[in-house]
Amino acid sequence: MKAKHLSPDNLNERRLQAVRLRLDGHTVAEVATRTGLSAPTVSAAWRAFREGGWEAVPVRPRGRKVGQAARLDAAAQQVLGECLRELPESPEPAWSSRALADALKDAGHEVSPRAIDHWLEAHDLKPEPMALEALERKRGQTGRWYRQQVAPVLKEVGKVGGSLWQGGVRIARPTQQAAVEAKPERPRYQLYLHGKRGVLYTRVLTTPPMVDDYLALFQRLLDQAEGKPVALVFHGAWFQAVPEIGRWLEWNPSFRLLPWPALGEACDRR
C-alpha cells in the first residue's frame, strides 16, 4: 500500500531513498514497493536528481516567498524589456525565465521565474515547442522534409551526444491590455529557442532580426556544445539567400541548421 499524507520531511527522506535505490539499479516499480511512494513520485525524484543533483530531490514548500510578486510592476517590466532586447551576459544563447529573474533581482526587483513565465505568456512570448515527432507519418512536403532531411540529422547528432535544439523567429501579437486600451503597439519580433525538456530561451526586438542577431545565436549554441555537433530546427526564416549565414555554416560544419520549408504546411505544435 502506498504511503499517504506524508509530512514534508518524511516525503523528502523517501524521495532521497528512492534515488539511492535507483542508483543501485532497482527499477521504478521495485523502488515504489520498497519506499511506499507512487511510481510517478519515484520517477519525479529520479528526474529531479538527474537534472539538478541531490539538492534538487527534496520538494520545496509550496507557495510564493515574500517579495516574489505574481505581477510585475511597471519598473520591473521596463527592466525586463531592456534585458530581452540584448543578449545575456552569461553564455546562454538567449534569456531563460530563471536568468531574467536573476537579472531583475540584481536590479532590485524580487520576481520568481514562474511570474516571468506568466508575463511572457500574457504577452504572447511563450511559443510551444514544435511537435516534430508527429511529422514522422505526416503526408505532404513537411512530412517528407522531416523524414528525409531532419530525422537523419537528429539521429546522427544525438548518437554522438550533440545538442538538439528547436527555434524560430515570429511576430508576437498585440497584448490584450493594449487592445483594451486601444493603444498602438510596436511589432515585437521574437527570436526563441527550446532546449532540453522544452526550456524556452528568448530575445524580443522592436525591429526584424539582423544577420548578426542570428549569427550570435548560432555561435552561442556552438560554443555551449564544447566541440560536439549541434542540430537546430528553425522555423520562420529562410537563410538560403543570406550569404553571410551560408559562409558561417561552411566554416562551422558541426552546426547543422535545418530551416523549416518555406512553402510547407503550418507548424505542428504541442
Side-chain angles (χ1 to χ4, degrees):
M1 178 180 295
K2 304 301 179 187
K4 296 182 179 180
H5 307 302
L6 296 175
S7 68
D9 289 342
N10 198 346
L11 173 60
N12 286 334
E13 182 179 343
R14 295 194 189 197
R15 284 170 64 95
L16 292 167
Q17 180 189 5
V19 172
R20 287 192 288 267
L21 290 170
R22 290 287 284 131
L23 288 171
D24 289 338
H26 294 281
T27 66
V28 171
E30 291 170 343
V31 174
T33 300
R34 296 183 62 168
T35 60
L37 297 173
S38 67
T41 300
V42 172
S43 297
W46 178 240
R47 182 170 59 252
F49 170 75
R50 293 177 62 187
E51 295 177 0
W54 289 106
E55 293 183 357
V57 176
V59 294
R60 306 302 180 191
R62 294 186 178 182
R64 196 169 63 245
K65 295 181 180 179
V66 175
Q68 289 188 328
R71 297 174 62 88
L72 280 69
D73 61 25
Q77 291 189 54
Q78 181 176 355
V79 174
L80 186 59
E82 293 171 354
C83 289
L84 286 170
R85 285 191 289 272
E86 305 295 336
L87 285 166
E89 293 183 4
S90 71
E92 288 187 336
W95 289 97
S96 65
S97 296
R98 184 169 297 278
L100 287 168
D102 290 341
L104 284 172
K105 183 177 181 180
D106 291 341
H109 304 280
E110 192 76 18
V111 179
S112 69
R114 183 180 295 274
I116 291 176
D117 279 334
H118 289 322
W119 185 90
L120 290 171
E121 186 172 4
H123 288 76
D124 189 35
L125 295 171
K126 211 168 188 306
E128 292 291 325
M130 292 176 274
L132 293 177
E133 299 82 0
L135 300 180
E136 184 67 44
R137 296 180 178 84
K138 188 177 181 65
R139 297 181 179 180
Q141 179 180 351
T142 305
R144 289 193 298 273
W145 164 76
Y146 177 78
R147 290 187 293 272
Q148 298 172 8
Q149 299 184 38
V150 178
V153 173
L154 297 183
K155 183 177 180 180
E156 176 187 341
V157 172
K159 190 174 182 179
V160 296
S163 303
L164 306 178
W165 294 84
Q166 298 180 20
V169 60
R170 59 192 289 270
I171 299 177
R173 297 187 302 269
T175 64
Q176 185 176 18
Q177 185 64 30
V180 169
E181 297 175 357
K183 292 182 178 180
E185 186 175 81
R186 297 179 64 183
R188 292 164 298 142
Y189 299 87
Q190 182 182 20
L191 269 173
Y192 63 93
L193 295 166
H194 287 104
K196 290 183 179 179
R197 299 174 293 279
V199 175
L200 175 68
Y201 298 84
T202 186
R203 285 187 67 195
V204 181
L205 309 172
T206 56
T207 58
M210 305 295 288
V211 170
D212 287 346
D213 295 315
Y214 292 111
L215 291 181
L217 193 72
F218 299 165
Q219 187 63 55
R220 287 192 172 213
L221 291 178
L222 197 59
D223 291 343
Q224 281 196 336
E226 298 180 343
K228 293 186 177 181
V230 175
L232 171 62
V233 180
F234 200 89
H235 184 269
W238 191 245
F239 299 112
Q240 284 190 337
V242 186
E244 296 92 338
I245 290 180
R247 285 194 295 269
W248 187 90
L249 292 172
E250 290 179 2
W251 296 334
N252 298 279
S254 62
F255 190 93
R256 309 294 296 275
L257 179 61
L258 302 163
W260 195 276
L263 300 177
E265 295 93 336
C267 176
D268 293 292
R269 297 196 178 278
R270 299 185 191 277

